[in-house]
Amino acid sequence: MLDLLLIFIFPKYLRIHGQILPFIDHFTFNDTMVYMNITLALSGGGVKGFAHIGVLRVLEMEGFQIRGLTGTSAGGLVGALYAAGYSPDEMEASLRDIDQGNLFSRMHGDGPSLLGLAGVTAILSELLGHRTFDDLRLPIGLTATDLTTGLPVVIKQGRLIDAVLATSAIPGVFPAKLMEGHMLVDGGVTNPIPVAEARSLYPDGPVVAVVLSPPLGWQKVANNEFAETIPVLMTNLPRVYRLAGRLRLTQAFNLFIHSMDLTGLMLLDKQLKLEKPKVVIRPELGQIGIVDRVDIPEVIKCGELATLEALPDIRREASWQYRLRRKLISYSP
C-alpha cells in the first residue's frame, strides 16, 4: 500500500520491493510524450462520416496528440485525409461545398453495384493524388474484407486512394476494389470498429473509438412507425430513381439494407465489448442514410458536440496516472 501511495506522491522514485520497474524510463512526467497521447478507431457510416472531422477538430483544439489511427469505410476516408496532413479546418473547407448529387455516380468499368464512387474518386484524386502510406505523417490502417477468404484485412501499404476505395466498397452498393489480386469490400462487413488494430499502432496510449451508428436497441419502435425509421438509401439518387423508389424491388432493397444495418450493429456491439476501447464517442446523427444529402457543417458539428461531452473521460484515460496504473496492473516481475 505504501508503494502505491509513493507512486502518486513521488512518481520518479517508483519502486516495488526495492526494484525500479523496467518501464519507468517510459514515463517522463513533464512532456506530452506521456500525456494526451491517444489512438483513434473510426467507424463507417456513409455521409455520417463527416462527423469524424468534428471529432478531430475538438481533439486537436484540446491538445491531444493522435499517435495512430484506424478507419473503416467513411472513417477510413477521413482518417486518410488527416494522416496525409489535412487539418480538420482544411477538410471542411475542401468538402463542405462538394456536389453531393454526383458523389455516387458510376464510372466506366465499374463492377456490379447499384451505385458508384465516381465523385468520391475525383475528390480523393485531387486531395490525395499519388500518395502512398509511406508519405503519411502518422501510422494508419484501413480495414477491408477479402471476398475470396471472407477474412478481414488491414491495409497499411500501397496507394492511399486505392485503400480508401476498398474500405468504402459497401457490398452491392459500391463496386468492389481489386488490390494485389484480392477482391476487397467494405471493412465494416467483418471489422466495423478496428479497436485492436488501433491499439497495436500505439500500445502505450488509450484507444478512443468513434462510432457513428446508434446504440443497439434504437429500433424498438411502434409498428406504425417502422417504415419511417428505415434509413432511406435512395434520397440522393437522380430523380428517375427516386420516382422508382415506389417499386417493390427498390422497397425490398431498402429493407435488405436496413437488415444489414441491424446485423452490423450487432457485430459492432459485440466488437466493442470484446476489444474494450477506453472511450467511445457516439455523435447523435439521427436516421441519416448512407448516401443521403446532408448539411455537412451540421454533421461536423454533431461530431464536435459529442467529443466535447466525452472530454473528461478522454483526459482521464490519457493522464499519466491512469497509464501508470494500467502498467502496474499488467506488470509481473
Side-chain angles (χ1 to χ4, degrees), residues 169-182:
I170 301 173
V173 180
F174 302 129
K177 182 68 177 178
L178 183 65
M179 290 186 66
E180 299 182 358
H182 298 272

Side-chain angles (χ1 to χ4, degrees), residues 52-122:
H52 289 310
I53 298 175
V55 173
L56 291 167
R57 174 178 287 150
V58 171
L59 292 175
E60 276 199 349
M61 290 176 61
E62 294 295 324
F64 290 96
Q65 304 293 316
I66 299 171
R67 298 300 182 185
L69 191 153
T70 57
T72 294
S73 197
L77 189 155
V78 173
L81 291 175
Y82 185 75
Y86 288 95
S87 70
D89 288 347
E90 290 170 332
M91 281 189 272
E92 180 173 5
S94 298
L95 299 175
R96 65 181 300 160
D97 295 323
I98 57 176
D99 183 0
Q100 297 184 50
N102 290 324
L103 279 179
F104 307 114
S105 56
R106 289 175 52 81
M107 296 185 295
H108 176 72
D110 277 349
S113 61
L114 178 66
L115 305 176
L117 291 169
V120 175
T121 302

Side-chain angles (χ1 to χ4, degrees), residues 170-171 173 188-189 213 216 218-219 226 229-233 250-268 287 290:
I170 301 173
V173 180
V189 174
S213 302
L216 193 64
W218 67 269
Q219 62 274 30
F226 175 75
T229 65
I230 299 176
V232 182
L233 176 68
T250 304
Q251 293 171 346
F253 187 81
N254 267 335
L255 287 171
F256 167 74
I257 290 295
H258 180 58
S259 299
M260 292 295 292
D261 282 344
L262 299 184
T263 302
L265 279 177
M266 293 182 66
L267 177 59
L268 186 147
Q287 301 311 312
I290 56 175

